Amino acid sequence: MQQIINFILRNKTTLLYLSLLFLGLSLSIRSHSYHRALFFNSSNRITGSIYNTQSNISSYFDLREENEKLVEENTLLRTLLFNSAEKEVPSLKIDSFPFEVIPAQIIKNDFARRNNYITINKGLRDGVEQDMGVITFQGILGIVEQTSSRFAGVQSILNTKSNINAKIKNTNNFGSLKWDTKRFDVVQLEDIPRMVPLNIGDTIVTGAMSSIFPENIPIGTIKKFDLTTSQSFYNIDVALFNDMTNIKQVYIINNKNSAEIRNLEERISDDQ
């Protein structure tokens, strides 16, 4: 208590000045509408800035949660989209859909080799198995080749072993999507007959002759085409929609009917 008294005595002049200043400002603000408005406007600006900064900080730390919610919504929407041709869709019984969508993230992405692989953070415990398709919001990415409990290795479309059924959008002209290793943003579509009308910019999508990908998943657009040496088929360069160097969020597609389809095809093949 004595220290407080000593402090007041030492600074009595300053404290008196500040008290009178505060009293004068208060009387001026109360008695003049202009000063009162100016004071409250300044106060609101300062308070608003503080609240805005607080909101921005809070929003930043909430981004991960919001992103997770968006991924869940996108997963549901893609599930509905891939199953839109199925009669079960109106009932919204997701478990009955033939296509299941599983969200994941890339933790390692190769694109500069001849045979590129991508590692994702979902594995067997998440329902991911070999031969499941992997896409992004822009288009196809590859096919699951290896799995562990928590991770999976995806064979990228930028892989000389990759061979995916594809077609020209809004037609039934199918071919095989491969990669010649020359560019990481361009792949090749083969086996399209010369009588098929083509145009630069035509969209290429997944075909219906695959048990891995749903039909009409975007791939890219025709960048260039010419005839093979036999003059019977086209060599087609396809500019990918995906930026293969900058991908994070992916979706794994599980066709629940794929095992049954493969077993049937194997039995047919054995009988021939």
Side-chain angles (χ1 to χ4, degrees):
M1 178 61 73
Q2 185 62 42
Q3 291 180 347
I4 295 175
I5 295 174
N6 292 337
F7 173 79
I8 294 174
L9 292 175
R10 283 198 307 270
N11 299 280
K12 58 183 179 181
T13 304
T14 302
L15 293 174
L16 178 61
Y17 169 77
L18 291 175
S19 299
L20 293 174
L21 177 62
F22 178 75
L23 179 61
L25 288 173
S26 299
L27 293 174
S28 177
I29 290 170
R30 291 182 180 182
S31 60
H32 296 84
S33 59
Y34 172 77
H35 292 162
R36 185 165 58 250
L38 183 63
F39 172 78
F40 285 114
N41 286 339
S42 300
S43 176
N44 286 339
R45 272 201 304 272
I46 295 171
T47 304
S49 297
I50 294 172
Y51 285 151
N52 185 58
T53 302
Q54 182 181 13
S55 176
N56 289 338
I57 294 172
S58 177
S59 296
Y60 175 80
F61 287 106
D62 289 341
L63 280 177
R64 180 168 183 174
E65 182 179 351
E66 292 300 318
N67 285 337
E68 290 175 352
K69 290 179 181 177
L70 288 174
V71 169
E72 290 177 2
E73 291 176 2
N74 286 337
T75 301
L76 175 59
L77 291 174
R78 290 184 181 279
T79 302
L80 295 175
L81 175 65
F82 298 151
N83 294 281
S84 60
E86 301 296 322
K87 63 182 180 180
E88 296 93 338
V89 170
S91 67
L92 291 180
K93 294 180 179 179
I94 302 297
D95 292 341
S96 66
F97 289 175
F99 290 106
E100 176 190 10
V101 180
I102 304 169
Q105 289 186 342
I106 290 177
I107 59 175
K108 183 176 182 293
N109 180 21
D110 286 338
F111 54 85
R113 309 177 185 224
R114 285 180 54 84
N115 295 313
N116 294 292
Y117 289 89
I118 297 165
T119 305
I120 58 178
N121 66 344
K122 293 292 176 68
L124 291 172
R125 71 177 187 180
D126 306 293
V128 178
E129 298 179 0
Q130 187 179 20
D131 293 331
M132 288 185 179
V134 182
I135 66 170
T136 72
F137 75 96
Q138 290 182 306
I140 66 169
L141 187 63
I143 299 173
V144 174
E145 186 170 299
Q146 299 288 341
T147 57
S148 65
S149 175
R150 296 183 296 148
F151 304 99
V154 178
Q155 183 190 91
S156 170
I157 56 173
L158 302 182
N159 190 307
T160 59
K161 302 175 186 176
S162 178
N163 188 346
I164 295 171
N165 180 251
K167 70 173 186 176
I168 303 166
K169 188 177 181 180
N170 297 325
T171 75
N172 289 316
N173 297 301
F174 297 93
S176 298
L177 194 74
K178 299 183 179 181
W179 186 50
D180 65 5
T181 75
K182 293 180 181 178
R183 295 182 55 169
F184 58 77
D185 58 345
V186 176
V187 294
Q188 287 65 47
L189 180 62
E190 302 179 352
D191 303 327
I192 299 295
R194 64 175 297 171
M195 70 281 298
V196 175
L198 297 181
N199 295 289
I200 301 297
D202 283 350
T203 300
I204 305 301
V205 297
T206 53
M209 299 175 62
S210 170
S211 62
I212 296 176
F213 293 100
E215 189 177 10
N216 294 318
I217 300 297
I219 296 173
T221 58
I222 293 179
K223 178 182 178 67
K224 183 181 71 173
F225 62 89
D226 54 32
L227 290 171
T228 62
T229 54
S230 66
Q231 302 291 300
S232 300
F233 298 92
Y234 285 113
N235 287 318
I236 304 173
D237 281 352
V238 179
L240 295 171
F241 288 132
N242 272 326
D243 178 357
M244 299 298 290
T245 68
N246 184 25
I247 302 173
K248 186 64 176 178
Q249 186 68 48
V250 299
Y251 299 92
I252 306 155
I253 302 172
N254 174 22
N255 182 354
K256 299 176 184 178
N257 297 328
S258 61
E260 183 178 348
I261 293 171
R262 284 197 299 269
N263 289 335
L264 177 61
E265 292 174 347
E266 288 173 2
R267 291 202 304 270
I268 293 174
S269 177
D270 292 340
D271 291 340
Q272 292 179 345

